Amino acid sequence: MFNIKRISEMTPSNETPFLVEGLIHRTATMIFGRPKAGKSFVALSAAMALAEGTPWLGREVEARNTLLWALDPGQQDETWQRFTMAGGAEDSRLFITDIRPEDTDQWWADFTDVLISTDVEVLIVDNLSALLGRGSYNSDADARPALGRLQALLDEGIAIVLVHHAGKFNEEQGSQQTPMGSTAIEAWGRHFMQVTDDQELRILRVYGNNTPEKELGIALNFSGEGDDGAFVTLIGEEETVAMSAEHDELVAKARARWESRKDRRKKQGRSPQQKAKKPDDRNRGTDHASQIKNALGSGEWVKQGTITQQVPGNPAVLKSALDSMVQSGELESRTQGRSNLYRLAS
């Protein structure tokens, strides 16, 4: 009933996890980048290749019914102009809609039925911010329901490419290397393509669960021309993080990282052994009274800050010791401005 089986008896699927090998996943792909990086052009280029069955960035592509959901104001007309400029084929299986979603189960059920009945195989959503409407992508409460709607489409076998923003340096939510906003957004994605610009060069950083991390350098021609797809020409690519490594090498690196972590925490006083010691254990055997008297041996008034510099230990513990010695009559104290001064009792 629940499809539970012995894993050793499974027959694995021979189906590739990608629609475009290593670039566009069969389930959830996210294309993200800073404004003006060119992520919408990259998404449209991929959409045209998927809809026409033409090679994209050096990979063979099978033609599929592809729907581009243009959610920004005026984006539908802009997309038509870009499609025409790039020489889109008349028999292209690329479709477009700019319908605004409603936040009701019935609307999404109807939308899903239409996609299934028209044999849409790939849905490209440009972009998440517009899909959320008044909601905030920084809020789990706002992001999760919309991502759940898209997940329902994935469950129907419709591949989704979601266009989104990247964070910026020191931004509260997200970073330059990750999709902006709620952690639920990155958790939703199965495969990621980050678009960054370096003047004439665009870098596509591709990573996910089913492929090594790699970088592709492309030229992005906004006039539509491209040697490896509409708008795009592949300059080069390289694998930046291998999915596997030699076992001994992996273990050696992990051990070195572990030792480095232990040393760092010990220097910070945060090792498990240091944390396990009780305050009384850490201070046992430390005669603060004798050390304080030695620091005040001249009989002159001395600032509290000077004492704490000369007597090792926790400043709060030293202050407690000073107060006790004043109460017992061993020390005299007075204030000078904002400073507490002490000397040996005469």
Side-chain angles (χ1 to χ4, degrees):
M1 178 179 177
F2 294 101
N3 199 28
I4 297 174
K5 67 193 73 174
R6 190 184 298 273
I7 193 168
S8 61
E9 297 174 355
M10 279 185 56
T11 302
S13 170
N14 292 324
E15 192 174 53
T16 173
F18 293 100
L19 300 182
V20 181
E21 187 60 36
L23 300 180
I24 304 296
H25 204 273
R26 185 173 292 279
T27 58
T29 301
M30 185 175 294
I31 298 176
F32 68 99
R34 296 297 300 157
K36 310 302 182 184
K39 53 188 179 292
S40 288
F41 281 92
V42 171
L44 177 57
S45 180
M48 292 176 65
L50 285 164
E52 298 170 12
T54 54
W56 193 61
L57 294 177
R59 279 80 169 168
E60 295 298 317
V61 179
E62 180 183 338
R64 303 172 187 275
N65 289 346
T66 302
L67 175 63
L68 198 156
W69 197 358
L71 287 164
D72 280 337
Q75 188 177 2
Q76 183 167 250
D77 288 345
E78 186 177 75
T79 302
W80 176 85
Q81 292 172 355
R82 291 174 179 175
F83 174 84
T84 303
M85 183 170 54
E90 291 185 6
D91 60 349
S92 172
R93 294 163 62 178
L94 180 60
F95 303 87
I96 192 166
T97 181
D98 62 355
I99 187 72
R100 306 302 298 181
E102 297 178 13
D103 189 18
T104 66
D105 291 341
Q106 186 60 55
W107 189 93
W108 280 90
D110 292 343
F111 184 59
T112 301
D113 288 342
V114 169
L115 297 187
I116 294 172
S117 65
T118 53
D119 296 323
V120 169
E121 299 171 86
V122 184
L123 175 64
I124 297 181
V125 184
D126 192 359
N127 54 67
L128 177 59
S129 300
L131 180 67
L132 293 178
R134 295 182 179 180
S136 170
Y137 46 67
N138 288 328
S139 166
D140 273 353
D142 290 339
R144 286 188 187 279
L147 296 172
R149 310 281 199 194
L150 296 180
Q151 182 61 48
L153 297 177
L154 290 172
D155 293 341
E156 294 292 341
I158 299 171
I160 296 178
V161 178
L162 179 59
V163 180
H164 186 43
H165 298 297
K168 59 184 179 182
F169 185 68
N170 282 338
E171 198 159 32
E172 182 179 356
Q173 296 286 342
S175 74
Q176 290 176 306
Q177 295 296 311
T178 59
M180 181 183 287
S182 161
T183 55
I185 295 172
E186 189 167 18
W188 173 87
R190 184 74 176 171
H191 196 68
F192 299 87
M193 182 183 299
Q194 181 189 13
V195 185
T196 57
D197 66 300
D198 184 3
Q199 298 181 12
E200 294 83 6
L201 179 68
R202 256 59 177 189
I203 303 297
L204 307 183
R205 182 174 71 96
V206 183
Y207 62 97
N209 294 355
N210 299 107
T211 184
E213 180 175 315
K214 64 182 64 178
E215 290 185 346
L216 284 74
I218 65 168
L220 187 61
N221 189 334
F222 297 104
S223 69
E225 293 185 29
D227 296 339
D228 299 286
F231 307 102
V232 298
T233 298
L234 180 63
I235 304 301
E237 65 178 277
E238 63 179 355
E239 195 170 290
T240 55
V241 178
M243 289 191 74
S244 61
E246 292 293 335
H247 176 72
D248 291 344
E249 180 184 357
L250 175 66
V251 171
K253 288 183 177 179
R255 182 171 286 114
R257 178 71 66 178
W258 175 255
E259 295 299 329
S260 175
R261 182 176 182 270
K262 284 172 58 179
D263 290 344
R264 184 172 64 253
R265 295 180 70 184
K266 187 175 181 180
K267 289 177 181 178
Q268 296 171 344
R270 295 174 55 244
S271 70
Q273 294 83 356
Q274 290 167 315
K275 286 183 177 180
K277 288 184 178 180
K278 297 179 181 179
D280 290 345
D281 293 335
R282 290 195 295 265
N283 296 322
R284 187 174 295 163
T286 301
D287 186 355
H288 287 118
S290 297
Q291 293 180 352
I292 290 171
K293 287 179 180 179
N294 289 335
L296 299 175
S298 66
E300 302 294 327
W301 290 101
V302 178
K303 292 182 179 180
Q304 179 182 329
T306 302
I307 297 171
T308 57
Q309 289 177 1
Q310 296 181 16
V311 179
N314 187 305
V317 175
L318 292 176
K319 180 63 169 65
S320 178
L322 288 166
D323 292 343
S324 296
M325 293 176 73
V326 171
Q327 291 177 4
S328 66
E330 296 176 84
L331 301 181
E332 297 177 358
S333 68
R334 66 183 178 88
T335 58
Q336 180 178 306
R338 296 183 179 180
S339 300
N340 294 322
L341 282 71
Y342 299 88
R343 71 178 180 183
L344 295 173
S346 57

